[in-house]
Amino acid sequence: MNDAGSWLLVGALLPLLMAAAVLWVADRVGEGLRQSTITVVARLAAVGSAACAVAVVRERPSLDLAWVESLGVRMDLAVDGISAPLVVLTSGVLLVAVALPRTVETDPSEPVPTAPLSPQPAEPGTATYYGCLLLVGFGALLTFLARDAVVFFVGFELVLLPMWVLISRHGDATVAARRDGAALRFLLVTATGSTLMLVGILVVATATGTTDVDQWAAEGGAALGGGQSLAAAVLLVVGLGLKVPIWPLHTWLPWVHTTAPTAGSVLLAAVLLKMGTYGLVRLVIPGVPQGFQTVAPVMAGCAVVGILWAGLAALVETDLKRLIAWSSIAHLGFVVLGLAAGTATGMQAALFGNVAHGVISALLFVVVGALKQRWGSTDLRTARAAVRETAPRLGFGLVVGMAASMGLPGLAGFWGELGALYAAWAPAPDRHDGWFRLFAVLAAAGAALAAAYSVRVLREVWAGERTRPRVPDATVTERVLLLGFVVVVVGLGVYPVLVLDVTAPAVDGLFAMTGAGR
């Protein structure tokens, strides 16, 4: 254990947990904290955690302590090229989430505000709201840093309760029953996926005698028989697939996104969904390679159906926030397709696509959340002023986000999708060429659908000559966030090796251990 560097790992996690505990207690003791104090505590914790997380990625320390000795479970934390981009992404997105003000949706029948937006006054539950954001960030970081399957599961589960609270208590749906229904669906689906994943972890741990995922990768599934490997792969893929989500396990996501607060949607799309794809890379592909080889064609087929299904749904969706949620399902389909191809190129494309989608989806949900606050709803059937005329800065963010969502060259979305298509066209030797080439063709058609629904959004929201009713443009905070997102989206599109050079050594090492095709 690196004693000096291990404190960086503690620093990346502990401030979030401590601040979340303070904020949760503050809402239940005495008169609570003032609004300014709440936001300062949350933002300082996020900044401190982000600084340590960046140092962790740079220094690559490790922490290995006995935790549950009777079960052989250790608090084993470390970062490598596979997890490093996701650690940085999580820290950055958490900073965005706590920077966004907590807002309460107005009834769509009320007049649209015409004056500049002012900060919301402190209300009961505000401290809990920010505490939930921090706890979600803590659970996600723990998941990405864990090198023990049980610790991975604990981090995976920790995000469940705070995200449920964000949706059920702080969701922005005006109809309480709709908000409660979305929260219940999220809880049931995520809990079901976690249960299946836990059973799969126990199958592999029992066969190997360890929960160390690095040891799983080194053994390459040698300790499991063919039936065990297939059973574990099915359990893990279905459990993690509910989180991604892979078609037909996707139906919960659009509903949850519609009712979640803006910060909740940002974290859900940019971070929580990545926990599912990361689990496929960390647990399934190296841990049960024989079982995954059998499951991969079915998983790829489901991913492609999801790309097409979500693209068609987005073409006719009447709620802008739900439309962005459908686009997330489509883009994550490319990530899953790249992983299913079984090559280093496919995994590189998937890891890059994870980061690219995280940034793009966070950008779009920040813009759409800002528009929803101003409009009172995101119903595309309502005639409104063209965003380019009344809120050009928000409009510019929308244009960049939708262009990146199309997969245009020079923007972040391009490389992940192109790499996934290439990997599917030239899959690993143990994959069926004919099926995967068909999947590549169908996925390319799905990319064309993305262009179609992106153009539809820009035509209905951004373009036009209407200038009434006017809405305020981006606030100072929103301008800073939008500028940061645009810089990253363009930077990754122009210079993708910022991520690919980080992930390549770890991917090559993983495939060298498993002996999989390139």
Side-chain angles (χ1 to χ4, degrees), residues 33 58 63 72 88 112 124 128 166 177 183 206 343 357 371-372 402 418-420 429 455 460 480-481 484 496 501 514:
L33 300 175
R58 185 180 66 249
L63 175 66
V88 175
V112 176
T128 299
L166 286 172
T206 301
T343 64
H357 173 261
L371 292 175
K372 186 173 187 178
M402 297 311 300
L418 178 66
V455 170
E460 297 188 16
V480 173
L481 297 179
D501 280 355
T514 60

Side-chain angles (χ1 to χ4, degrees), residues 276-485:
T277 53
Y278 177 76
L280 294 174
V281 176
R282 187 61 77 191
L283 303 180
V284 185
I285 294 175
V288 285
Q290 297 85 3
F292 183 72
Q293 176 186 337
T294 304
V295 172
V298 177
M299 191 175 81
C302 290
V304 170
V305 172
I307 292 170
L308 296 171
W309 188 289
L312 292 171
L315 280 176
V316 297
E317 179 59 61
T318 58
D319 184 281
L320 182 56
K321 205 173 182 188
R322 282 177 64 91
L323 190 152
I324 304 303
W326 283 115
S327 75
S328 288
I329 295 171
H331 291 304
L332 288 167
F334 284 95
V335 173
V336 174
L337 178 61
L339 294 176
T343 64
T345 300
M347 185 174 288
Q348 280 277 73
L351 295 173
F352 186 91
N354 258 343
V355 176
H357 173 261
V359 177
I360 295 166
S361 62
L363 167 60
L364 288 172
F365 277 115
V366 168
V367 173
V368 173
L371 292 175
K372 186 173 187 178
Q373 182 188 0
R374 290 153 172 80
W375 290 343
S377 76
T378 49
D379 192 339
L380 292 173
R381 295 168 295 185
T382 302
R384 297 187 177 94
V387 173
R388 73 174 181 185
E389 300 293 339
T390 61
R393 293 181 179 86
L394 289 175
F396 179 70
L398 181 65
V399 169
V400 173
M402 297 311 300
S405 187
M406 292 183 203
L408 293 183
L411 298 174
F414 174 73
W415 298 105
E417 292 188 6
L418 178 66
L421 292 175
Y422 177 83
W425 189 260
D430 56 14
R431 305 296 196 264
H432 191 286
D433 285 356
W435 278 112
F436 273 87
R437 290 187 175 182
L438 175 61
F439 295 153
V441 172
L442 294 176
L449 288 176
Y453 65 69
S454 297
V455 170
R456 176 198 170 207
V457 169
L458 296 178
R459 184 187 71 243
E460 297 188 16
V461 177
W462 179 77
E465 304 300 329
R466 289 175 57 93
T467 59
R468 293 288 186 273
R470 299 194 68 85
V471 295
D473 202 353
T475 63
V476 173
T477 298
E478 290 166 345
R479 292 179 196 178
V480 173
L481 297 179
L482 293 178
L483 177 61
F485 279 127

Side-chain angles (χ1 to χ4, degrees), residues 37-60:
T37 304
I38 292 170
T39 55
V40 166
V41 169
R43 291 168 186 175
L44 284 177
V47 169
S49 172
C52 290
V54 171
V56 165
V57 170
R58 185 180 66 249
E59 301 295 332
R60 306 290 176 91

